[in-house]
Amino acid sequence: MQIRDGLIAGFPIVIGYLPIAIAFGVLARQAGISLVELTGMSLLVFAGAAQFMAAGMIGIGVSAAEIIIATFVLNLRHFVMALSFVHQLQHIPLKWKGALSIGLTDETFSVSSIYKHKAEQSYCHLFYGTIIITSYGSWVFGSFLGGVLGDVVPEQLTQSMGIALYAMFIGLLVPSVRKYKRIAIICITAMLVNYLLNPLIGQGWGIVAGTILGAFVGIFVLEEEEI
């Protein structure tokens, strides 16, 4: 029952992940990443925004240190999500809390939060685990498929898929800004910092500085209940 419910709850994530993962695979191939490397990245990282950003930075020749720091900063939010998720799963063994927290993404966290009442039921770890495993599988498969297609689809089409990264971020950002207008202040701050520092310290470090200072501004402009 819990596995069946998990499949139903996770199905929208699978449908949403596949085209984005394919776009990532295509773009990663365009950035010079091999099929094995991009599939391995999806297997080990499983963080769409960070992978898109890393592929883009690899494509423009940014250093490994800049990529590691930028993706680390971008993924810091997962620590906060994991803490909230573990608090939700108070009644299951610690080993399951740890395993499930590793598989959290923005989407699996959001869906798990919608089904918060499941945490009170027996074998709830199977429900949340099914959501995470199906999402993970679709992301890895889509990345592999995109990597294969990256070698056969026309160049004009693959170049147009470069907007996938911006579309994904806009899709995540717009609902948050509509809900809390002050999040726009954080976004504008991060963009301005990146724009102003980019010519001085390079594109990679400009992204890192913009992310850190934008998050710092968020401490002051967001109320506790908005975080």
Side-chain angles (χ1 to χ4, degrees):
M1 180 67 77
Q2 295 288 23
I3 294 177
R4 186 204 64 182
D5 291 348
L7 287 172
I8 295 172
F11 185 70
I13 301 178
V14 173
I15 297 300
Y17 267 4
L18 277 175
I20 298 176
I22 291 173
F24 163 73
V26 172
L27 295 175
R29 289 292 294 134
Q30 295 294 312
I33 303 174
S34 71
L35 181 60
V36 174
E37 290 169 339
L38 70 89
T39 306
M41 184 187 291
S42 290
L43 279 168
L44 299 174
V45 179
F46 188 37
Q51 289 181 230
F52 266 104
M53 186 171 69
M57 295 174 81
I58 291 172
I60 59 175
V62 172
S63 71
E66 292 171 282
I67 295 172
I68 292 171
I69 294 175
T71 52
F72 175 76
V73 172
L74 183 62
N75 282 336
L76 274 176
R77 70 191 187 284
H78 289 165
F79 287 107
V80 180
M81 290 192 293
L83 290 174
S84 174
F85 187 57
V86 167
H87 180 71
Q88 177 179 321
L89 303 175
Q90 295 185 45
H91 307 295
I92 69 172
L94 182 61
K95 63 179 182 180
W96 287 113
K97 293 179 182 177
L100 293 172
S101 298
I102 292 174
L104 280 181
T105 64
D106 298 309
E107 293 76 18
T108 56
F109 175 76
S110 298
V111 172
S112 298
S113 298
I114 293 173
Y115 292 92
K116 191 175 293 185
H117 63 281
K118 282 283 187 179
E120 305 296 330
Q121 299 177 0
S122 301
Y123 303 106
C124 65
H125 58 284
L126 296 178
F127 171 78
Y128 296 113
T130 302
I131 293 175
I132 291 172
I133 290 173
T134 52
S135 303
Y136 177 74
S138 67
W139 178 258
V140 173
F141 174 73
S143 300
F144 173 79
L145 186 59
V148 174
L149 294 175
D151 291 328
V152 296
V153 297
E155 184 178 357
Q156 293 83 356
L157 178 59
T158 59
Q159 290 178 348
S160 66
M161 296 180 76
I163 65 170
L165 171 62
Y166 308 105
M168 187 180 71
F169 277 118
I170 291 172
L172 292 172
L173 180 62
V174 169
S176 299
V177 173
R178 291 180 64 180
K179 190 174 182 180
Y180 303 113
K181 305 297 183 189
R182 281 179 287 186
I183 290 180
I185 299 174
I186 301 172
C187 301
I188 293 171
T189 300
M191 286 189 290
L192 280 177
V193 170
N194 179 44
Y195 177 76
L196 295 173
L197 295 183
N198 196 336
L200 302 175
I201 61 177
Q203 189 169 10
W205 291 117
I207 294 173
V208 173
T211 305
I212 293 175
L213 291 177
F216 183 73
V217 169
I219 296 174
F220 299 99
V221 301
L222 291 179
E223 302 292 339
E224 183 176 356
E225 63 270 21
E226 296 175 343
I227 300 175

